[in-house]
DNA sequence: TTGTATGCGTTATCAG
DNA sequence: CTGATAACGCATACAA
């Protein structure tokens, strides 16, 4: 490996001169040219570890994601990737496989790697999470969930739920089936649902049946297969677009027509909702922008700037073919 | 930050003793207990940079992916993630946004980070790619494409194409539409298609029309919308499952029935093919296993072991509802 | 502008 | 088993 020392020797200068060349640049035109050429020739590149060791600074940002095959996660990641690049940081991505133990591990691993800050896609948040995070002393930013005393950036899930509820009521529906996810995920499992319920429940004669799935399509498909034949509902609210796609599939396999037999909607605004038939009504979330914002916010955090504890991203109702007026009496 | 020195001082021993404690372990039970306690108390964790600097070894593996929102890529990544974890390596993932310049950059960035090896998801391979890679001197493994003088692990794309071709002929089809991708991606754009053509062309009276899309659903959808009304084909071969999903959508929007008006198939075995109606016939690829294999192979490479230049992964025809016998005369 | 010397946190070598 | 010391590659304070 070629080091700053080799360069210095070959150029006949002190290594501090080479170092200066590399950093400030207070070097005479002559030596500059010499060093230029030698670096070119040898293909020298500075050793980041030595640098980090010295500077006590790594220029790295860590990202923790719960799983790799999530459409929403990946869109946020695109935004994160873009902004970290723009701001000159290097990204380290760790995957925790939706497993708490591995999340704890990863929090510590990243801290050990001396990343300057961490963006964590939060799912289920336990006190132990909060604890582990706080112990690291590293700036942390949660995405998707809020927690006492930790900065976060979240979706307006309650409002999203309310949008769907209001819309469905306007269409004339009164009987709903809500396909939810576990409450451990507060944002999706609780907030989103509560927004919907609060919009729908006050309406005279409305009913809501609930079933619970997990985030996988297979689970949602199975549940729907079993439950659709029994339900009184005319409108099916799915807690995510993935679930909606799976429920749509189950409905078709059971011989139902959407939206004739059931109206159906999801949350998220995934591309998939536009490539099934009928296309699925949903609430679209600004995932990419969220990623951009997250990095900006984290970097301010790293720089000890004052930043609001919680930032919220908006969202937008997207009406597609899977929902229709309810006009049978 | 608490260092080995602090520990040593507090324990009243030399820092080399602490270091030994941390590594080999040749320490008296007494000092061991003392150090144990202090480390526990202070929450000391070794500084990886100092370690790497000393050891000239980073324990990191770099991964270069062309984009974050690809189903196949992410499945391979899951495998890679699993195996790197198992083997005790840390992962650095970089995204190049399907952009050659950024690929060159990333190759060098990773080399600078002194990763011990790199797994690169190859798309289009130019001489400059090969060149840049070779200059780094870092062990490289290509996934998905092969290149002279660089180790790689690839799919049997030719065989996959042939499987679809043979199957379609058996169904009685003779007129085909092939929705392909640019040839710059040799594996998908050339090999896969060639396997199909070689299986189909020898058959009497067979015809193949070709159109080209890119890897995005939007592009495929638009092309299909324009081309389906004009085609003579009874079977549409799509170069990827994503394309197939988009073409299916276009066909439906145009009022066609699948498989009555057209049979349709893709490649890849993505989950999406199972959650549209009809489900789409495809060739399923062992993505996750590929990730596992890739890491194993790279690690052998890092260890200077002898490994075959090219490894191939098999694949499997998955017959679904989108294909049917052609029996109209 | 340039060079000397020192230290970042760790490991390895070699005496004791 | 333990301790002193050098070295990894780089940046910087300070002197020249």
């Amino acid at each position: 490996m070629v080091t700053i020392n080799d360069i210095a020797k070959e150029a006949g200068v002190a290594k501090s001169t080479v170092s200066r060349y590399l950093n400030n640049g207070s070097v005479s035109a002559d030596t500059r040219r010499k060093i230029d050429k030698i670096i070119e020739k040898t293909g020298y590149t500075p050793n980041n570890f030595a640098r980090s060791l010295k500077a006590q600074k790594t220029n790295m940002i860590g990202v923790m994601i719960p799983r790799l095959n999530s459409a929403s996660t990946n869109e946020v990641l695109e935004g994160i990737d873009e902004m970290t690049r723009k701001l000159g940081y290097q990204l380290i991505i760790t995957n925790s496989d939706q497993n708490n133990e591995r999340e704890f591990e990863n929090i510590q691993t990243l801290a050990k790697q001396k990343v300057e800050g961490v963006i964590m896609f939060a799912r289920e948040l336990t006190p132990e999470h909060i604890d582990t995070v706080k112990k690291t002393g590293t700036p942390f930013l949660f995405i998707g969930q809020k927690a006492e005393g930790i900065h976060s950036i979240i979706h307006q899930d309650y409002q999203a739920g309310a949008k769907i509820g209001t819309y469905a009521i306007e269409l004339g529906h009164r009987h709903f089936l809500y396909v939810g996810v576990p409450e451990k995920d507060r944002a999706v499992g609780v907030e989103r649902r509560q927004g919907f319920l609060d919009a729908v429940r006050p309406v005279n004669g409305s009913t809501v049946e609930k079933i619970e799935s997990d985030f996988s399509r297979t689970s949602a498909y199975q549940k729907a297969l079993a439950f659709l034949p029994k339900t009184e509902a005319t409108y099916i609210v799915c807690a995510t677009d993935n679930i909606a796609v799976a429920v749509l599939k189950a409905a078709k396999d059971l011989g139902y027509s959407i939206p004739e037999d059931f109206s159906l909607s999801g949350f998220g605004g995934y591309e998939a909702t536009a490539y099934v038939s009928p296309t699925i009504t949903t609430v679209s979330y600004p995932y990419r922008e969220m990623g951009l914002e997250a990095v900006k916010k984290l970097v301010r955090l790293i720089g000890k700037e004052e930043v609001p504890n919680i930032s919220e991203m908006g969202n937008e109702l997207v009406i597609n073919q899977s929902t229709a007026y309810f006009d049978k009496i």
Side-chain angles (χ1 to χ4, degrees), chain A:
Chain A
M1 173 194 290
V2 38
T3 78
I4 204 178
N5 239 318
D6 306 329
I7 309 287
K9 228 177 291 175
E10 187 149 349
V13 300
K15 61 178 178 174
S16 51
T17 304
V18 181
S19 175
R20 240 176 296 115
Y21 162 96
L22 256 18
N23 300 298
N24 330 336
S26 179
V27 194
S28 78
D30 204 43
T31 32
R32 171 176 303 280
R33 231 173 308 120
K34 254 189 299 184
I35 298 180
D36 255 346
K37 205 183 304 176
I38 298 176
I39 286 188
E40 171 72 22
K41 190 185 82 186
T42 57
Y44 164 81
T45 92
N47 182 317
N48 275 321
F49 297 100
R51 251 188 190 168
S52 298
L53 179 59
K54 186 75 185 139
Q56 304 284 33
K57 200 165 168 308
T58 63
N59 233 42
M60 290 191 191
I61 284 181
V63 177
M64 294 183 52
I65 61 180
R67 52 189 241 261
L68 283 158
N69 59 350
S70 152
S72 57
T73 298
N74 287 327
E75 275 195 54
V76 181
L77 266 182
E78 296 249 352
I80 292 180
D81 182 67
E82 182 181 332
M83 190 53 75
T84 44
R85 177 177 307 267
K86 192 176 290 177
L87 268 40
Y89 284 91
Q90 174 75 21
L91 213 53
I92 294 196
I93 301 175
T94 65
N95 166 35
S96 60
D97 246 5
Q98 311 185 72
N99 173 329
N100 281 351
E101 289 310 318
R102 283 191 37 185
E103 286 186 347
F104 303 146
E105 269 178 45
N106 285 344
I107 291 172
Q108 286 165 337
T109 304
L110 286 175
K112 260 198 253 184
Q113 300 269 333
K114 303 282 185 286
V115 297
E116 304 194 21
V118 176
I119 295 173
M120 172 169 163
F121 287 72
R123 316 166 299 122
E124 164 189 350
L125 281 184
T126 66
E128 194 173 351
H129 279 97
I130 315 293
D131 222 53
T132 315
V133 165
K134 288 194 172 157
K135 266 196 197 134
T136 67
T138 305
F140 256 78
L141 178 65
F142 284 171
I143 281 193
Q145 312 274 349
K146 54 192 167 190
E148 197 59 46
I150 297 186
H151 291 266
S152 59
I153 178 165
I154 59 176
H155 293 294
Q156 294 184 337
D157 277 300
Y158 182 89
Q159 289 87 335
K163 280 179 193 171
I164 287 287
T166 306
Y167 167 68
I169 290 292
E170 281 170 11
L171 287 180
H173 293 275
R174 292 298 177 269
H175 301 296
F176 300 96
L177 170 62
Y178 191 93
V179 186
V181 296
E183 299 195 353
K184 293 182 296 186
D185 185 324
R186 276 201 65 80
V188 181
V190 179
E191 300 273 330
R192 200 175 277 182
R193 186 187 61 198
Q194 198 56 45
F196 169 74
L197 291 178
D198 288 353
V200 154
R201 283 246 171 96
V203 177
N204 235 342
S206 69
T207 65
V208 180
E209 300 163 77
K210 290 186 240 169
I211 59 177
E212 187 173 300
S213 166
D214 61 27
F215 285 88
S216 77
R217 287 186 177 182
T218 42
S219 160
Y221 179 79
Q222 296 301 339
K223 302 270 180 177
L225 229 41
F227 208 84
L228 288 189
K230 310 191 248 180
T231 186
E232 298 278 294
T234 64
Y235 190 115
I236 306 170
V237 185
C238 304
T240 75
D241 281 345
N242 256 348
I243 293 177
V245 166
V247 171
L248 172 60
K249 176 68 181 160
K252 281 193 189 174
D253 287 355
L254 288 168
Y256 296 115
S257 298
I258 309 284
E260 290 77 9
D261 296 317
F262 299 106
S263 280
L264 176 81
S265 66
F267 288 91
Y270 302 172
E271 188 187 39
T273 58
Y275 287 94
V276 289
S277 300
T279 54
I280 298 176
T281 293
T282 185
V283 176
S284 120
Y285 285 54
Y287 291 116
R288 182 188 194 80
E289 288 69 27
M290 191 177 211
L292 300 175
E293 285 308 314
V295 176
K296 286 198 225 162
K297 185 164 177 172
L298 181 65
V299 168
R300 278 192 227 109
L301 235 44
I302 293 173
K304 313 266 189 212
E305 288 179 44
E306 203 62 43
V307 284
N309 225 291
I310 296 185
S311 319
E312 293 192 338
M313 309 294 292
N315 51 52
E316 195 181 346
L317 181 64
V318 178
I319 297 172
N320 276 321
Q321 302 160 347
S322 67
T323 45
Y325 281 100
F326 175 69
D327 29 35
K328 324 172 206 170
I329 290 295

